[in-house]
Amino acid sequence: MITAKARAVDGPDKPFRAAEIKRRDLDLHDVLIEIKYAGICHSDIHTARGEWGPVNYPLVPGHEIAGIVTAVGPNVTKYKVGDRVGVGCMVDSCGECENCRKGEEQYCLKGNIQTYAGVDKYGEPTQGGYSTHIVVQEDFVLRIPDNIELDVAAPLLCAGITTYSPLNHWGAGPGKKVAVVGMGGLGHMAVQIAHAMGAEVTVLSQTLKKREDGLKLGADNYYATSDPETFEKLAGTFDLIINTVSAKIDLNAYLGLVTLDGTVVNVGAPAEPLSLNVMNLIGHRRSFAGSMIGGIRETQEMLDFCAEHNIVPKIEVISADQIDEAYERVLASDVKYRFVIDTSTI
Ligand code: NAP
Ligand code: ZN
């Protein structure tokens, strides 16, 4: 067993504390990664605070992981010691079901194994990236392109792929009008990626406070959702809306902004249900959909796309002692635009 240092939480309202966790000995296809940086995703907060349902504590969150390979199992072929790698939200899946065979491991019919708050195939609880080391089987490890630094690479492993995948799936590109709701960790990635794909991009944020940043990142337009005129002015405008908001919003107001055959895709995952009036779908043959991260092949494609287009998140690097404070700032929408833990401080 390998001992890793970590930051763990013991309950929904408990602060983070220093901890030691065990990582398994390398199996045939396992890779040992020394984690250098771990992003803080809003999903970490939902999970750590038990908002999505009960979890087993102590819990070490973190599914935006970037680091260096320091050892490989005997049958590993994809990676070698010294490689720059990443790990996202899942560390395994059945590999055999229809969805896994299509490269959509995130929708594994037997359930993928989540990077933390899951149970691995050895029956052990999984613990995430707020730690110094992790052991992952090679098929769930991503290669970080040389021109992306490890600190900014980390958030791509969740925020990047979670926005790239629906933009890709619903055909964001030239001639398409895409709106991004929420200018947070996911939202500011969606803006950059949709812009690079060639779409016309509009940000719908609660206020205009982050407008300048949004325009710099590639948005063509930026509106405040606190202004009721926004909804009148933009009625029936967008082909695609990506909703990244972590809280409950009035979905019906946003459905009204979509054109004939347009789609609202929820990637935001608030604990409370959202309600929709089907008349808002029927009226203009609109769709409402959801999307969860992306498959491993698509995640590598996203990393290579970001490398090619010089897309990286805007980050604030913090030490391990600042995790609780960072959570509060994320909840207050006071993050520009992703906190990343320097794991050497754990
Ligand atoms: P984040 O950085 O906190 O961003 C969320 C943004 O939503 C905020 O910056 C804010 O943007 C807006 N917002 C927050 N509260 C709001 C409210 N009450 N009303 C209206 N807007 C509000 O979070 P994130 O890390 O991007 O994650 C966003 C959501 O996606 C979370 O629920 C997370 O769990 C989920 N998620 C889902 C997947 C998936 O696979 N589907 C993957 C990762 C994360 P403005 O300040 O611009 O208004
Ligand atoms: Zn995430």
Side-chain angles (χ1 to χ4, degrees):
M1 289 283 226
I2 300 146
T3 303
K5 290 197 282 180
R7 290 295 160 125
V9 67
D10 293 315
D13 48 11
K14 295 283 191 296
F16 277 86
R17 63 166 171 89
E20 283 198 342
I21 55 173
K22 298 285 177 208
R23 299 299 193 182
R24 65 175 181 260
D25 289 329
L26 297 188
D27 208 338
L28 297 179
H29 285 278
D30 281 344
V31 171
L32 173 63
I33 299 164
E34 184 184 338
I35 301 173
K36 297 289 189 188
Y37 294 97
I40 293 181
C41 176
H42 206 121
S43 302
D44 299 350
I45 305 178
H46 291 307
T47 310
R49 301 198 168 177
E51 291 168 11
W52 286 341
V55 281
N56 290 323
Y57 298 100
L59 174 79
V60 178
H63 59 208
E64 295 186 335
I65 297 170
I68 307 278
V69 174
T70 54
V72 295
N75 291 0
V76 168
T77 57
K78 294 180 179 159
Y79 297 99
K80 59 180 191 326
V81 171
D83 282 353
R84 302 164 78 251
V85 294
V87 177
C89 301
M90 50 183 177
V91 287
D92 216 336
S93 73
C94 84
E96 290 166 358
C97 73
E98 198 185 330
N99 294 351
C100 284
R101 286 204 312 270
K102 277 196 276 194
E104 304 270 25
E105 302 89 350
Q106 72 280 31
Y107 304 120
C108 173
L109 295 173
K110 292 186 182 150
N112 71 66
I113 296 175
Q114 304 259 300
T115 304
Y116 63 85
V119 176
D120 69 18
K121 64 182 173 202
Y122 308 91
E124 295 297 325
T126 57
Q127 300 286 15
Y130 299 3
S131 62
T132 53
H133 297 83
I134 191 167
V135 172
V136 181
Q137 73 108 327
E138 60 176 335
D139 290 339
F140 285 76
V141 175
L142 286 304
R143 188 173 296 283
I144 295 175
D146 289 341
N147 65 338
I148 303 184
E149 297 296 333
L150 291 181
D151 54 357
V152 286
L156 297 177
L157 277 305
C158 176
I161 184 59
T162 301
T163 50
Y164 180 90
S165 183
L167 287 166
N168 197 21
H169 184 81
W170 276 278
K176 290 286 167 70
K177 291 185 178 179
V178 173
V180 175
V181 190
M183 175 76 178
L186 265 56
H188 93 294
M189 289 312 305
V191 170
Q192 297 186 73
I193 293 168
H195 173 70
M197 286 174 170
E200 182 185 315
V201 183
T202 299
V203 176
L204 303 173
S205 179
Q206 293 170 94
T207 65
L208 295 180
K209 274 193 272 184
K210 298 180 257 186
R211 180 170 181 275
E212 207 176 305
D213 287 344
L215 298 182
K216 269 197 207 139
L217 292 175
D220 301 280
N221 313 292
Y222 202 107
Y223 291 92
T225 53
S226 51
D227 179 356
E229 272 183 28
T230 293
F231 291 90
E232 284 165 35
K233 191 166 173 196
L234 299 177
T237 299
F238 302 108
D239 300 292
L240 177 63
I241 295 183
I242 306 285
N243 174 23
T244 74
V245 174
S246 48
K248 188 174 177 176
I249 58 170
D250 177 11
L251 208 49
N252 295 298
Y254 292 87
L255 283 168
L257 304 186
V258 174
T259 183
L260 175 68
D261 287 328
T263 306
V264 174
V265 181
N266 236 81
V267 291
E272 320 87 286
L274 302 181
S275 65
L276 70 83
N277 179 343
V278 294
M279 294 303 175
N280 290 322
L281 299 177
I282 291 169
H284 291 78
R285 204 164 55 196
R286 293 164 173 142
S287 305
F288 178 66
S291 180
M292 186 168 71
I293 48 172
I296 294 296
R297 190 169 56 223
E298 196 179 30
T299 305
Q300 190 62 57
E301 183 185 303
M302 175 277 306
L303 287 166
D304 297 340
F305 179 91
C306 288
E308 188 189 332
H309 293 270
N310 290 314
I311 295 174
V312 288
K314 282 170 105 59
I315 61 166
E316 194 176 322
V317 176
I318 61 165
S319 72
D321 289 337
Q322 294 173 290
I323 298 172
D324 294 307
E325 185 192 328
Y327 273 30
E328 291 310 318
R329 285 186 53 197
V330 170
L331 290 170
S333 300
D334 175 27
V335 48
K336 289 187 172 177
Y337 284 86
R338 203 53 144 186
F339 288 114
V340 173
I341 303 163
D342 174 351
T343 56
S344 69
T345 63
I346 288 182

